């Protein structure tokens, strides 16, 4: 276990030294005053109960957008330094899987992905399937 933690710290440290991490923001806060804590709570629920996302594409778009945000923020934002280093690494490792599942380019920058998912979510909530697909 200790070796895994040290390996995770090494990976995060090397990643931090090679290039500045991209920044990401969420366009709105969902039920929390803090978008980071809201994203943590929502993604924890959404990915623990994936069957509920299958019938609710707007909620799925929100969960993926928040996961994209966390994949960046958990590494870049020092307020999460108390988290296990395995947590941000897990988001980084899962990102290719969720991107492939919904057709996001593997090399797409996170902020345009987040913005597009929020636009799709908004369109889905308004019943505009064409706009959702375009997003």
């Amino acid at each position: 276990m200790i070796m895994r933690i040290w390996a995770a710290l090494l990976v995060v440290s090397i990643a931090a030294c090679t290039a500045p991490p991209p920044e990401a923001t969420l366009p709105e806060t969902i039920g929390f005053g803090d978008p980071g804590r809201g994203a943590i709570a929502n993604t924890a629920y959404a990915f623990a109960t994936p069957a509920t996302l299958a019938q609710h594409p707007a909620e799925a778009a929100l969960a993926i957008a928040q996961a994209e945000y966390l994949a960046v923020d958990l590494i870049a934002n020092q307020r999460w330094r108390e988290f296990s280093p395995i947590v941000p690494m897990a988001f980084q490792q899962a990102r290719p899987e969720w991107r492939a599942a919904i057709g996001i380019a593997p090399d797409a920058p996170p902020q345009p992905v987040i913005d597009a998912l929020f636009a799709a979510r908004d369109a889905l909530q308004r019943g505009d399937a064409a706009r959702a697909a375009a997003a």
Side-chain angles (χ1 to χ4, degrees):
M1 180 68 169
I2 297 295
M3 293 303 292
R4 283 180 150 175
I5 291 172
W6 281 109
L9 283 171
L10 179 62
V11 169
V12 171
S13 297
I14 291 171
C17 294
T18 58
E23 291 186 23
T25 60
L26 291 174
E28 62 184 72
T29 302
I30 310 295
F32 288 82
D34 178 350
R37 292 184 191 280
I40 289 168
N42 189 58
T43 57
Y45 173 76
F47 294 114
T49 57
T52 61
L53 297 179
Q55 302 303 316
H56 300 92
E59 286 82 3
L62 173 62
I64 297 295
Q66 289 175 323
E68 280 283 335
Y69 166 78
L70 289 172
V72 173
D73 201 55
L74 290 174
I75 291 173
N77 195 327
Q78 289 299 307
R79 72 185 182 144
W80 307 121
R81 70 182 175 271
E82 299 294 324
F83 275 25
S84 165
I86 295 170
V87 175
M89 192 170 78
F91 274 87
Q92 292 294 317
Q93 289 176 340
R95 179 188 269 165
E97 186 176 338
W98 74 61
R99 283 185 169 201
I102 61 173
I104 299 170
D107 60 345
Q111 192 61 55
V113 169
I114 293 166
D115 295 341
L117 287 166
F118 267 86
R121 176 180 169 260
D122 181 57
L124 288 165
Q125 288 178 326
R126 294 174 191 262
D128 189 345
R131 195 170 128 225

